[in-house]
């Protein structure tokens, strides 16, 4: 594991953007796994700036988003589809046909999840999976559990996740109870993984994820087994790490 502790959120975002840019430069057709949430906002800003400065192009990359709330339309302000358009896709030269986000509405979620997984496989697999982390150690929407869920699946969100994410909604009741998420196996199959976290609220989750025994009760802890994991966090998120 490669651990980078940045002095600030901005520095964390810049380090992450540098890593993404260097991958795309060496492999213009790279396949990226993308997260949502407040953590990667700075990263997306940096990437957009690189595009505007004409030092990076996204035109040949393919992306797969990690997750989506169930039941929200694409244009719903809280959907991850909308998040990606507003914060990244609409501002760069990415081919929208090569962007994939799990759909929050489906007649048959089981079939849909298998198709999403097949699509990832047919793209050649994910070169770099970028992750945030939930306060309870979740990655994507893989919640603490008795086992590590495998492929893309429908999940019931935990109360603490609903509460944490309610800050984006007008009220806690408005937060969907279910979501679609890539599974732990889908994430672990990526050729490389970059985990980002910032702020004191993530310190406990980071400590449990990278310094304590691997357990499905802290889904992010499984990342310790990945052969190419980079963890980029700010000093606050690193504050409970001993060395
Ligand atoms: C959500 C997302 C995760 C994300 C987490 C942390 O639950 N499903 O992918 O990592 O929130 O979000 P934030 O970055 O806003 O703290």
């Amino acid at each position: 594991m490669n651990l980078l502790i940045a002095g600030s959120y901005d520095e964390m975002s810049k380090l992450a953007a540098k890593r993404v840019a260097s991958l795309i430069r060496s492999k213009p057709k790279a396949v990226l796994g993308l997260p949502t949430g407040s953590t990667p906002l700075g990263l997306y800003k940096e990437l957009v700036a690189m595009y505007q400065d004409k030092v990076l192009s996204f035109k040949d990359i393919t992306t797969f988003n990690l997750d989506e709330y169930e039941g929200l339309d694409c244009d719903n302000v809280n959907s991850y589809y909308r998040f990606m358009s507003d914060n990244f896709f609409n501002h760069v030269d990415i081919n929208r046909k090569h962007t994939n986000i799990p759909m929050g509405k489906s007649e048959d979620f089981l079939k849909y999840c298998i198709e999403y997984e097949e699509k990832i496989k047919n793209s050649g697999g994910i070169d770099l999976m970028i992750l945030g982390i939930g306060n309870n150690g979740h990655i994507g929407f893989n919640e603490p559990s008795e086992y590590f869920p495998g492929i893309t699946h429908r999940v019931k969100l935990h109360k603490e996740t609903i509460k944490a994410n309610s800050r984006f909604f007008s009220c806690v009741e408005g937060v969907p109870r279910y979501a679609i998420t890539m599974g732990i196996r889908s994430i672990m199959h990526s050729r490389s993984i970059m985990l980002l976290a910032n702020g004191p609220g993530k310190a406990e989750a980071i400590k449990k994820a990278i310094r304590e025994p691997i357990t499905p009760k802290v889904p992010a802890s499984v990342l310790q087994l990945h052969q190419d994991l980079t963890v980029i966090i700010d000093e606050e998120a690193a504050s409970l790490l001993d060395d």
Side-chain angles (χ1 to χ4, degrees):
M1 179 182 74
N2 185 15
L3 173 64
L4 303 177
I5 300 178
S8 65
Y9 175 72
D10 284 353
E11 195 192 329
M12 177 198 83
S13 306
K14 283 195 169 80
L15 286 170
K18 244 173 111 176
R19 173 93 208 279
V20 174
S22 107
L23 168 68
I24 297 174
R25 285 187 191 118
S26 65
K27 187 174 181 185
K29 290 191 173 173
V31 181
L32 300 182
L34 297 178
T36 49
S38 44
T39 308
L41 279 173
L43 162 65
Y44 291 134
K45 245 191 194 154
E46 290 293 329
L47 293 176
V48 169
M50 287 177 176
Y51 168 70
Q52 286 168 346
D53 292 345
K54 300 190 171 41
V55 294
L56 191 64
S57 166
F58 300 91
K59 74 181 173 52
D60 293 323
I61 69 162
T62 296
T63 63
F64 286 92
N65 263 77
L66 266 170
D67 48 12
E68 178 60 284
Y69 289 112
E70 181 179 314
L72 301 189
D73 287 317
C74 293
D75 58 356
N76 185 300
V77 74
N78 283 307
S79 75
Y80 287 165
Y81 185 97
R82 178 77 181 268
F83 174 100
M84 291 309 299
S85 300
D86 291 353
N87 294 296
F88 188 39
F89 296 155
N90 283 354
H91 309 288
V92 295
D93 60 346
I94 200 162
N95 180 346
R96 287 304 291 260
K97 288 193 187 125
H98 295 163
T99 65
N100 302 278
I101 302 177
M103 278 191 325
K105 288 189 165 175
S106 172
E107 303 264 293
D108 184 346
F109 273 117
L110 196 59
K111 187 165 162 259
Y112 177 73
C113 289
I114 291 168
E115 284 167 7
Y116 196 73
E117 205 65 33
E118 279 294 301
K119 250 186 164 179
I120 297 176
K121 210 166 125 200
N122 294 338
S123 75
I126 294 172
D127 291 300
L128 175 63
M129 178 82 239
I130 306 166
L131 299 171
I133 186 169
N135 298 332
N136 63 3
H138 73 223
I139 44 177
F141 270 131
N142 291 280
E143 296 281 34
S145 147
E146 295 303 317
Y147 63 96
F148 288 114
I151 66 162
T152 302
H153 60 288
R154 179 174 183 257
V155 64
K156 188 172 184 351
L157 300 179
H158 282 198
K159 271 195 195 121
E160 60 227 310
T161 299
I162 292 172
K163 195 168 159 237
N165 291 5
S166 68
R167 68 191 196 277
F168 300 110
F169 291 76
S170 53
C171 60
V172 79
E173 290 72 32
V175 185
R177 270 29 187 178
Y178 288 86
I180 309 299
T181 183
M182 273 186 207
I184 293 295
R185 198 168 78 198
S186 343
I187 292 170
M188 290 295 279
H189 270 184
S190 310
R191 281 183 273 279
S192 60
I193 298 181
M194 181 166 76
L195 173 68
L196 307 177
N198 68 286
K202 296 291 170 68
E204 187 73 35
I206 284 294
K207 182 179 163 215
K208 287 185 175 160
I210 68 173
R211 288 285 193 263
E212 293 187 3
I214 297 166
T215 164
K217 297 205 162 88
V218 182
S221 64
V222 75
L223 299 174
Q224 293 176 39
L225 293 176
H226 198 277
Q227 57 182 8
D228 188 353
L229 169 68
T230 302
V231 178
I232 311 180
I233 53 181
D234 73 355
E235 281 169 359
E236 291 181 325
S239 59
L240 297 178
L241 303 179
D242 293 335
D243 40 63

